[in-house]
Amino acid sequence: MKKIISILLFAISVFTLVACDDELTKNQNFLNEALASIDITYETGDSINSVTKDITLGSLSDKFSTVTLEWSSNIPSVVSIVDDKAVIYRRQENTEVTITATIVFNEVELYRDFNITVLGINQVPNEEVPTDGSPIISGVKNVEIKVDESNVNLLTGITAKDINNKALTVILDDSKVDYTKAGRYEITYKATDENNKTSTKVAQLRIIGFGSSTNALYKFEFPSTDLSHGYSDPAIDSVLTDSISNSSFAIKKRRANVGQGGEGLIISGTSSSETLGWVEFDFKEVITKMSFMARLYSDKDLALVKEVKLQQKQGTNWVDVLDILPLLNPDATNKTFEVNNLDNSIYRLYVDANQGTQNSARIVFDDLAVYKAGTGSYQDLTPSILGTKDYELVTGSTLPNFLDGVSAKDVDGITIPVTITENTVDVTKVGNYSVTYRTQDLFGHEVTKDIVVRVKDEEVFVPGDYSTYYASLNGKSQSEMKSILTTMVKSNGRATGSTEQVKTVDSFEGKNYNIYTGFGSYGNREHVWPNSKLGSAPDYDLHNLRAAVVSVNSTRSNYPFTNQVTQTNWQLINGKFYPGKEHVGDVARIVLYISLRYNLSLNLVGNLEMFLTWHEEDPVSPFEISRNNKIYSIQNNRNPFIDHPEFVNLIYS
């Protein structure tokens, strides 16, 4: 009997082992089929041995929905896996990288390696061997040289061979290059064999110029005292105020004016009787950089506009430098422009439009600054990442596309790819997270930029018991309260703000309290929302005027606010202003009020997420309460965000 049982057990074991082997083989075949279906896709012109652009990573079909696929790179600093892309960062030299696809099914793993060559940043992508027997040119790469370098041999390392491996002479065509002028040029290498078959290869040559001085040569803030006449004024010659020297600067103009509300320089492209508007600047010496802000006067002005351009004068002709129109914000908010590598002395801002029935096609320019070449140092070749902003999200919300509105440009103004290399955001947990952007130009210059993403619990607005000034809010729904409060802010009281009134409302406990610095002697009035960015809103609203130290007020100028800080006190950082840790809440509540009362975009002075953060980080102070009460006695209106901080959530959440 024991013998029979032993035989049965052995038979069962053998059957089980065979069944397991069959199942393992089945799984293995299934995985092999899945692995074979995976591939990677190169951009046009790239190949396995010549990668210059991002690679699209393959995915599994629905047939393999039970299989897990993961991609990895053995050198993440060169090839970074981001979603379904292998993001390429080229080093100076060629780099061999392995991209690995790993699939898992029923605890069985299989791997597939893709061995690629990422070309060095200056290397021009390899071309396939010509099928017609044309010569092969090797060693071509993008090159940078300095404007004052001489005797640079651009043929060094460039070789060519015919189909029989015989060396050929390479000819360089640099006829498009001006070696005395900074800029980016195209050069062509050419080789011809004895059968008259020719091959060419094109590369980029960048001439590096001297950097612009950090100090502006001229700056125009266009106060309301400039150009105090109508658009139809026939005079061509006029003057603007240079705010650096506080002196007059001669210009020529047509259909140009300065808004009496401090809007900036307005060029009108059309009226019922004429078109074309422009302002011409002769700086008398070569400038290398110009920066300015520009916007539509209103969204209604866009319909008739044909051209908005920055132009330079060459002989008797005007040559386009920058096409501004397609870059303007359609919502009539300011866009900041910086134009580098300029090399002329006469420029103009130019607006053309179709015939209208009134003054229209108006473009507003502001904060125009020009710079000349510096000495001893070459221009900064770092690319720029544009359009980034900090975010504030609520737990459980959907992640936004952090690349929306983000772009990158090299120093020549050419758009280059920008990618996200790190995203630590977890919307399931409250906290501060970061997203890192990275871009790299054709010559290997790269830059990264971080933003802060704050995840917080959803705030629920809880109405209070309101009396006196806010009594009309009692018993109303949340939407009704929002509507009533908005109407109150927009229509109640008046605006006034003399120097004596500012001194009165900013006096606290017998002492003057300055914005950005605290207690100290009164200097002058600071427009927290800059006068030049108020549009048609009054520049004398006490809610917007604060006592300030003259030098600090001057430093702040009309720069937008920023939260990218390195210290707790006020500071100017790359053309943006941080108010100081003790003043961010004051600033936030002022600009939130001004934005609501006068229907102004917060993007003119910062961004909503930052101001909401400041409102929470720096709560209402006894000084603000005292000041709000005094303003009410003068203007008969109140800043509700000081009286009831929860109203910020009601209006802006």
Side-chain angles (χ1 to χ4, degrees), residues 90 121-122 142 184 204 410 416 440-445:
R90 297 163 67 184
I121 192 65
N122 291 325
N142 301 317
R184 184 163 158 176
Q204 299 292 313
D410 65 14
I416 53 178
Q440 186 179 50
D441 70 10
L442 280 176
F443 299 90
H445 304 288

Side-chain angles (χ1 to χ4, degrees), residues 357-389:
T357 58
Q358 59 182 359
N359 293 323
S360 186
R362 293 164 295 181
I363 307 298
V364 183
F365 298 91
D366 208 350
D367 292 349
L368 190 151
V370 297
Y371 303 79
K372 64 179 182 178
T375 57
S377 61
Y378 294 97
Q379 66 183 115
D380 183 4
L381 300 175
T382 306
S384 300
I385 299 176
L386 310 170
T388 60
K389 63 180 181 179

Side-chain angles (χ1 to χ4, degrees), residues 39-107:
D39 206 348
I40 61 179
T41 304
Y42 302 99
E43 293 293 326
T44 303
D46 279 8
S47 63
I48 189 171
N49 294 317
S50 179
V51 176
T52 63
K53 297 179 282 291
D54 295 350
I55 297 171
T56 300
L57 304 174
S59 59
L60 293 169
S61 67
D62 292 341
K63 177 181 179 180
F64 305 108
S65 60
T66 56
V67 178
T68 301
L69 168 63
E70 291 185 359
W71 290 93
S72 60
S73 162
N74 70 327
I75 310 180
S77 60
V78 177
V79 178
S80 175
I81 307 299
V82 180
D83 298 327
D84 64 343
K85 293 287 186 182
V87 180
I88 305 300
Y89 300 108
R90 297 163 67 184
R91 293 178 173 174
Q92 293 299 319
E93 303 300 329
N94 295 351
T95 308
E96 306 292 332
V97 180
T98 300
I99 301 175
T100 302
T102 303
I103 59 174
V104 182
F105 178 71
N106 286 348
E107 299 184 354

Side-chain angles (χ1 to χ4, degrees), residues 588-606:
R589 286 177 282 277
I590 289 172
V591 299
L592 291 173
Y593 174 85
I594 295 297
S595 173
L596 183 61
R597 181 169 174 91
Y598 299 111
N599 195 31
L600 295 170
S601 170
L602 286 167
N603 292 331
L604 293 169
V605 292

